């Protein structure tokens, strides 16, 4: 299945985002992402493809910042 | 055995707490927030769930406003050092524990800050007003005294602080789990609490709440699991204050303890402990050679048998299988305020498991001790 991955950073925010998405019916998986970005280790979410607009609408009010991850 | 030292740490722990600790050690033994494998993620889930439970329990707006520590002392030290700046003037009550006084004293000794004590007696707002200086920017106050159970009017103090831009820190060590503690209602900036007292977690659990991260510098530095290429601690909560590996078993025990406390009902626990305390107060106030230093406002009963060292009374009670604490309770300021700086006092502190039957047994033993010492000529001066 195609997936999108977003980088969140801290595990607390990744889990908070996962729970918020689950309440909205979106199943996400927390992943530790490799440290190749400029900041080092990060956690992120693996999401079903095509849900990014909905995800943005859910995470914005919670002040959960993220960026796209390119594997 | 009758355990009446719940102000030091609660005992026994609910069965669900013990079970959760064992489960977490055996099944979720990874390092939370560090790796990507299942054991690390399972530990992270446990930590996050507890963070949510704490936030909900104290009415915090979000999980990230809860920072885990190993106890209330570390929480208080951390928030104080995060907030003070050179030249700060800090106000603290005359009933504070050494967990508050010692870090403030050290900061003052180092020439960084000055501090003043305000009295808990009479008009507290007036007492605070009298100690204000132009540099007063932090006030720290316990919710309930660990020595005699005195309850501070936190909402009134917070209102006073808010109007003057003073950062207010609450030490909820003796109130959390024993009565409703709601940060929004109190309107404080920060609140520190242990997990192993009224919330029935194990020793090694504690936390603090902060309203916002702005204006707080990190105190401990180290691994946080994210943004690891930077020499700086992350600027967001809770990571800014959580350097190094968290104790997942202790945090899990706190989560299980909160669930247990909430299932009992905080109000029910408060009523039970106050009934216990009321019964002891009623009886002890009638004994001619007993000096009471408390009122039945909480589960704490503070007293002395006239002329008898507090530690001797505590030891005698231990001989009857009753665990209480004598001495200074790490609170020399409070003992100075109460007029018990020599030898301290005997403290009985009830918890959720104590029964009225245990109150009667305790009273019976105290009556016999009181008579015995009276017969030996010990009496009130």
């Amino acid at each position: 299945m195609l997936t999108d991955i977003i980088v969140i950073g801290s595990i607390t925010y990744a889990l908070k985002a996962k729970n918020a998405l689950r309440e909205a019916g979106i199943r996400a998986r927390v992943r530790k992402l490799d440290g190749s970005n400029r900041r080092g280790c990060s956690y992120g979410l693996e999401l079903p493809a095509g849900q990014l607009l909905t995800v943005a609408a859910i995470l914005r009010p919670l002040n959960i910042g993220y960026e796209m991850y390119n594997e | 055995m009758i355990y009446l030292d719940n102000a030091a740490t609660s005992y026994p722990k609910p069965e669900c707490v013990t079970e959760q600790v064992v489960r977490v050690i055996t099944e979720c033994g990874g390092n939370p927030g560090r790796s990507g494998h299942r054991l690390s993620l399972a530990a992270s889930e446990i930590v996050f769930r507890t963070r949510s439970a704490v936030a909900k329990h104290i009415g915090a707006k979000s999980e990230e406003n809860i920072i885990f520590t190993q106890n209330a002392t570390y929480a208080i030290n951390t928030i104080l050092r995060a907030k003070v700046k050179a030249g700060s003037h800090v106000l603290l009550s005359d009933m504070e524990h050494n967990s508050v006084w010692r870090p403030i004293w050290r900061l003052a000794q180092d020439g960084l800050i000055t501090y003043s004590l305000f009295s808990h007696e009479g008009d507290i707002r007036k007492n605070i007003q009298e100690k204000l200086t132009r540099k007063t920017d932090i006030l720290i106050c316990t919710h309930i005294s660990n020595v005699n159970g005195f309850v501070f009017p936190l909402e009134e103090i917070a209102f006073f602080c808010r109007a003057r831009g003073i950062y207010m820190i609450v030490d909820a060590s003796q109130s959390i789990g024993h009565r409703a503690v709601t940060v929004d209602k109190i309107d404080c900036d920060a609140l520190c609490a242990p997990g192993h007292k009224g919330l029935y977690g194990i020793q090694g659990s504690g936390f603090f709440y902060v309203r916002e991260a702005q204006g707080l510098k990190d105190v401990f530095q180290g691994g946080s699991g994210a943004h690891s290429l930077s020499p700086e601690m992350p600027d967001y909560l809770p990571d800014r204050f959580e350097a190094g590996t968290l104790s997942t078993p202790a945090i899990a025990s706190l989560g299980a303890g909160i669930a247990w406390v909430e299932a009992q009902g905080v109000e029910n626990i408060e009523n039970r402990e106050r009934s216990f305390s009321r019964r002891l107060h009623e009886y002890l106030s009638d004994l001619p050679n007993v000096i009471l230093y408390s009122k039945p406002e909480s589960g704490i009963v503070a007293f002395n048998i006239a002329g008898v060292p507090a530690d001797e009374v505590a030891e005698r009670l231990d001989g009857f299988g009753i665990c209480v604490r004598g001495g200074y309770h790490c609170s020399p300021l409070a003992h100075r305020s109460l007029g018990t700086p020599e030898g301290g006092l005997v403290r009985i502190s009830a918890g959720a498991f104590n029964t009225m039957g245990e109150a009667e047994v305790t009273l019976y033993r105290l009556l016999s001790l009181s008579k015995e010492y009276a017969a030996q000529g010990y009496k009130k001066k």
Side-chain angles (χ1 to χ4, degrees), chain B residues 33 37 52 74 93 121 150 163 176 181 192 246 262 283 336 366:
Chain B
H37 56 76
S52 298
Y74 271 75
S93 88
E121 287 178 307
F150 178 83
I176 195 113
V181 174
C192 306
L246 294 170
E262 290 181 351
Y283 194 91
R336 201 184 300 163
L366 282 172

Side-chain angles (χ1 to χ4, degrees), chain B residues 10 14 32 56 63 73 80 122 127-128 137 199 209 252 312 321 381:
Chain B
S10 56
K56 189 164 158 269
E63 294 90 353
T73 297
L80 273 172
N127 300 342
I128 295 172
D137 54 359
L199 293 178
Y209 151 87
E312 183 178 321
K381 283 177 187 162

Side-chain angles (χ1 to χ4, degrees), chain A residues 4-22:
Chain A
D4 288 317
I5 297 173
I6 57 173
V7 187
I8 293 181
S10 120
I11 186 72
T12 304
Y13 288 90
L15 287 165
K16 185 173 175 170
K18 179 190 161 191
N19 286 354
L21 294 173
R22 188 179 55 212

Side-chain angles (χ1 to χ4, degrees), chain A residues 16 18 32 39 41 43, chain B residues 34-35 45 62 64 227-228:
Chain A
K16 185 173 175 170
K18 179 190 161 191
K32 172 93 188 286
R39 295 192 198 118
C41 306
Y43 285 88
Chain B
R34 294 297 187 272
S35 310
E45 285 272 3
S62 200
E64 60 267 24
H227 293 164
S228 43

